[in-house]
Amino acid sequence: MSDESETLEREHFQRIVKAFKAYRQYCQHRITERESYVRSLPPSHQSLLHPYTQHLQHQRVCIDHNAEIIKLIIKDVECMFENVHHQPMNNEDSDTNSMLGPDIEKVQSTIRQIVRDWSPSGERERQQCYGPIINTVEKLFPLDKGGRGDIKVLVPGAGLGRLAYDLAKRGFTCQGNEFSLFMLFASNFVLNKCRGINSLRVYPWVHTGSNTLSTEDQLTPATFPDVDPSDLPTHAEFTMAAGDFLEIYTSADAFDCVATCFFIDCANNIVAFLQTIYNIIKPGGYWVNLGPLLYHFADQPGEPSIEPTYQHIKSIAIGIGFTILEEETGVNTSYTQNPNSMLQYEYKSVLFVAQKKTDRKTEQQTEETEDTEEGGGSR
Amino acid sequence: MSDESETLEREHFQRIVKAFKAYRQYCQHRITERESYVRSLPPSHQSLLHPYTQHLQHQRVCIDHNAEIIKLIIKDVECMFENVHHQPMNNEDSDTNSMLGPDIEKVQSTIRQIVRDWSPSGERERQQCYGPIINTVEKLFPLDKGGRGDIKVLVPGAGLGRLAYDLAKRGFTCQGNEFSLFMLFASNFVLNKCRGINSLRVYPWVHTGSNTLSTEDQLTPATFPDVDPSDLPTHAEFTMAAGDFLEIYTSADAFDCVATCFFIDCANNIVAFLQTIYNIIKPGGYWVNLGPLLYHFADQPGEPSIEPTYQHIKSIAIGIGFTILEEETGVNTSYTQNPNSMLQYEYKSVLFVAQKKTDRKTEQQTEETEDTEEGGGSR
């Protein structure tokens, strides 16, 4: 790694650590703003808002609790990666900074990801999103055809690692890949530090007051982990790899199966994702995908983006060399959804299975120079 | 009006006109950005993306068509308000400006509002959102109890005016109130200029490529108006009033009924909305509300906001003097939803009917000084 890119990476790392550290102060400040606004209103309004201002106090307690979990998440992250040693930050002041807003929102969404992947309350979402993928992979590699330990599965955009863990638990040799440090910090914590089923809790819905029916809805905790993440069978192989999917996975024919869940729309250039997926799958191997097409860079200033429809994606996949074996559209799925919110997002996802050609001669196009677009990450 | 506030209002007016005028160039520029990005990719990618780049050309045609409708919408808006004459803008250059982004998004959402309120394709949404309100108001003021022309109904946050029109069509004397110039320009156009059922069309879904299954889905047009907006019975009274709800409606006991649909969460201080609603209703009159609680200012920097839960709203309404007569939660409703999108937003709205006390003596609290919070507008 060059000096320059090492410096950039260290700065990025420290920015994310800073966001986690600033969570408590930032979120408490948002409460303070609301309290100040109430105090500026006519006395009759203040009196009518008394139950609301009391509720703000309860939110403060939940935020403080989340902050304690966050302390555990970022404890020792400096030593998280074997190959890179980050200097502990000298500057501990996490003064509330308006530039921090988007990063703090990612900390908040990381808390919701813990619920999605590792809480009993995430069970329904996991059934919807991971269930069809796991069933499909198990069907493609049935137990009676030999040991699953020889079957190498990659889960790009692994987030907090639950899908990869669940596949490893079923005997596959499974690697999860994740780009976002928010996700990596949290998955490292859950996978390597959390023991004791439902021993911890977070308050995932405390950060938004909109679309809440009752105060209790906003203060509902979620416990985690719903399973002991270390309870994999001794022969199971499960690894998490940090980094950019396009940069890390350059070896052809490395995996029997690639399983992507809410991932392919994380690309600036989705074609690069599809070609990389094709390249790393062994001839005759499979790509199982489930998700919508919420292109992450569609509205991000300064980020190039293209937004092919699902129809286009299929024609691109076929053009690269895939054969579409199965396809289901309109699969009801959600993503870190508060089940009690008055606003429900539902993704009508597409689930498909694609197979790589077995004939090596037709694959020349995948050996062209790969582009080096930035990509990866999770919603 | 003071000179200063007149200047501010004129600047605001001209900013919105500018956004409408810049729509075409801005949206075409977004397409150009995508084309440039594709051209920067490896030739094999460009070739695979050929159907997508062809699709971008089709999007251009739809945007041009929308721009023609927009020309009709802003034609003569300078003379729209009887009491204010805005100077035509000297500066006609609408150079693409990154600051314009949020305003252009509002132009795009105005196009979707046309579909929600006045297109055959909006029928389902109108049934969901306006249906329960209209049924309730008709039940509260049955025909056998006398002429409905004497019943004065106000619809704050009237948007493009369909709910107010539908109530007027049923014989009520109905006024719609709207703050947003985006909405006012478009409602003025539909209500006063559009004749000939389904004589015009827009392409409401052309602006986003995310979560699209097929290219046709993105290019689907919507025709309008589904009815002739001028076909009200000759005795029907239907007016639209422009301006801030809190500033305009200061006369007590003016309306028999206030009907709010997806409106009350537009406030910085929702208590001010509730107190104003209470104040303008005649003793014994009704407030019918349907909507979620998507507080508009919750995440807007520099805007004060409070986000009471529905539980709080009820206690505030009762504290002010309302009696809750009916209540239904979990009412499935959507808001300018593309029915073919892979991402569906569903609001679990609340529908309630509240009645103002008939005993004048208990209403002192509503006669306290009203605060002067900014508010109004539509999502």
Side-chain angles (χ1 to χ4, degrees), chain B residues 94-132:
Chain B
S94 52
D95 54 328
T96 306
N97 182 334
S98 64
M99 292 299 288
L100 271 174
D103 281 347
I104 302 286
E105 271 172 37
K106 285 185 188 156
V107 175
Q108 295 173 353
S109 89
T110 303
I111 292 171
R112 293 193 296 273
Q113 293 274 350
I114 292 176
V115 177
R116 173 175 170 87
D117 266 19
W118 296 104
S119 165
S121 5
E123 178 64 24
R124 183 165 174 268
E125 265 191 32
R126 292 194 296 275
Q127 278 298 331
Q128 288 181 320
C129 297
Y130 304 154

Side-chain angles (χ1 to χ4, degrees), chain A residues 80-296:
Chain A
M80 206 176 104
F81 303 115
E82 290 159 31
N83 55 337
V84 187
H85 293 278
H86 291 279
Q87 297 295 316
M89 299 205 312
N90 297 323
N91 183 358
E92 284 287 336
D93 76 307
S94 52
D95 53 328
T96 305
N97 182 334
S98 64
M99 293 296 289
L100 271 175
D103 282 345
I104 301 285
E105 272 173 35
K106 285 185 188 156
V107 175
Q108 295 173 352
S109 89
T110 303
I111 292 171
R112 293 193 296 272
Q113 294 273 351
I114 292 176
V115 177
R116 173 175 169 88
D117 266 19
W118 296 103
S119 165
S121 6
E123 179 64 23
R124 183 166 174 267
E125 266 191 32
R126 291 194 297 274
Q127 277 298 331
Q128 288 181 321
C129 297
Y130 304 153
I133 295 178
I134 294 167
N135 292 343
T136 303
V137 176
E138 286 202 294
K139 204 173 63 182
L140 292 170
F141 302 99
L143 265 177
D144 56 4
K145 292 225 176 157
R148 278 177 175 164
D150 298 332
I151 308 293
K152 291 178 72 182
V153 182
L154 177 71
V155 179
L160 262 56
R162 183 57 179 264
L163 174 58
Y165 162 90
D166 277 348
L167 287 166
K169 182 112 183 172
R170 278 158 182 80
F172 297 100
T173 291
C174 190
Q175 178 161 94
N177 163 239
E178 179 55 54
F179 178 74
S180 159
L181 285 177
F182 292 98
M183 299 292 123
L184 288 165
F185 289 177
S187 64
N188 174 57
F189 170 63
V190 176
L191 292 169
N192 301 321
K193 310 274 182 75
C194 282
R195 302 295 173 259
I197 288 174
N198 294 321
S199 54
L200 299 168
R201 70 180 189 284
V202 285
Y203 296 89
W205 319 122
V206 69
H207 310 108
T208 175
S210 282
N211 291 313
T212 308
L213 276 176
S214 81
T215 52
E216 292 71 31
D217 287 347
Q218 198 180 3
L219 307 178
T220 302
T223 57
F224 71 98
D226 67 313
V227 293
D228 185 335
S230 70
D231 72 350
L232 290 173
T234 42
H235 61 276
E237 282 205 57
F238 171 39
T239 51
M240 285 285 282
D244 186 325
F245 174 62
L246 295 177
E247 286 175 16
I248 294 185
Y249 298 97
T250 52
S251 303
D253 309 343
F255 292 93
D256 298 278
C257 182
V258 172
T260 49
C261 183
F262 281 72
F263 171 68
I264 57 172
D265 48 10
C266 291
N268 293 94
N269 169 18
I270 194 168
V271 185
F273 270 23
L274 267 61
Q275 269 199 335
T276 297
I277 291 170
Y278 190 81
N279 185 49
I280 62 176
I281 293 177
K282 293 177 188 171
Y286 302 97
W287 173 28
V288 182
N289 176 72
L290 184 146
L293 290 170
L294 183 64
Y295 289 103
H296 285 215

Side-chain angles (χ1 to χ4, degrees), chain B residues 64-268:
Chain B
D64 275 348
H65 181 85
N66 283 347
E68 292 302 311
I69 298 294
I70 283 169
K71 265 189 204 164
L72 298 176
I73 291 174
I74 56 167
K75 187 167 175 270
D76 305 326
V77 285
E78 275 83 3
C79 328
M80 206 175 104
F81 303 115
E82 289 160 32
N83 54 337
V84 186
H85 294 278
H86 291 280
Q87 297 295 318
M89 299 204 311
N90 297 322
N91 184 358
E92 283 286 336
D93 75 308
S94 52
D95 54 328
T96 306
N97 182 334
S98 64
M99 292 299 288
L100 271 174
D103 281 347
I104 302 286
E105 271 172 37
K106 285 185 188 156
V107 175
Q108 295 173 353
S109 89
T110 303
I111 292 171
R112 293 193 296 273
Q113 293 274 350
I114 292 176
V115 177
R116 173 175 170 87
D117 266 19
W118 296 104
S119 165
S121 5
E123 178 64 24
R124 183 165 174 268
E125 265 191 32
R126 292 194 296 275
Q127 278 298 331
Q128 288 181 320
C129 297
Y130 304 154
I133 293 178
I134 294 167
N135 293 343
T136 303
V137 176
E138 287 201 293
K139 205 173 62 181
L140 291 170
F141 302 99
L143 265 177
D144 56 5
K145 292 227 175 153
R148 279 177 174 163
D150 299 331
I151 308 293
K152 291 178 71 182
V153 182
L154 177 70
V155 179
L160 262 56
R162 183 57 179 264
L163 174 59
Y165 162 91
D166 278 348
L167 287 167
K169 182 113 182 172
R170 278 158 183 78
F172 297 100
T173 291
C174 190
Q175 178 161 96
N177 162 239
E178 179 54 55
F179 178 74
S180 158
L181 284 177
F182 292 98
M183 299 293 122
L184 288 165
F185 289 178
S187 64
N188 174 57
F189 170 63
V190 176
L191 292 169
N192 300 321
K193 309 274 181 75
C194 282
R195 302 294 173 259
I197 287 173
N198 293 321
S199 54
L200 298 168
R201 71 180 189 284
V202 285
Y203 295 89
W205 320 121
V206 68
H207 309 109
T208 175
S210 282
N211 291 313
T212 308
L213 275 176
S214 81
T215 53
E216 292 72 30
D217 286 346
Q218 198 180 3
L219 307 177
T220 302
T223 58
F224 71 98
D226 67 312
V227 293
D228 185 334
S230 70
D231 71 350
L232 289 174
T234 41
H235 61 275
E237 281 205 56
F238 171 38
T239 50
M240 285 285 282
D244 185 324
F245 174 61
L246 295 177
E247 285 175 16
I248 293 184
Y249 297 98
T250 51
S251 302
D253 309 343
F255 293 93
D256 298 278
C257 182
V258 171
T260 48
C261 183
F262 281 71
F263 171 68
I264 56 172
D265 48 9
C266 291
N268 293 94

Side-chain angles (χ1 to χ4, degrees), chain B residues 5 20 44 47 55 61 99 127 182 246 281 294 311 314 328 338 350:
Chain B
S5 69
F20 276 99
S44 66
S47 157
H55 177 57
V61 176
M99 292 299 288
Q127 278 298 331
F182 292 98
L246 295 177
I281 292 176
L294 184 64
Q311 215 174 53
K314 264 205 297 189
E328 186 184 348
N338 176 356
V350 58

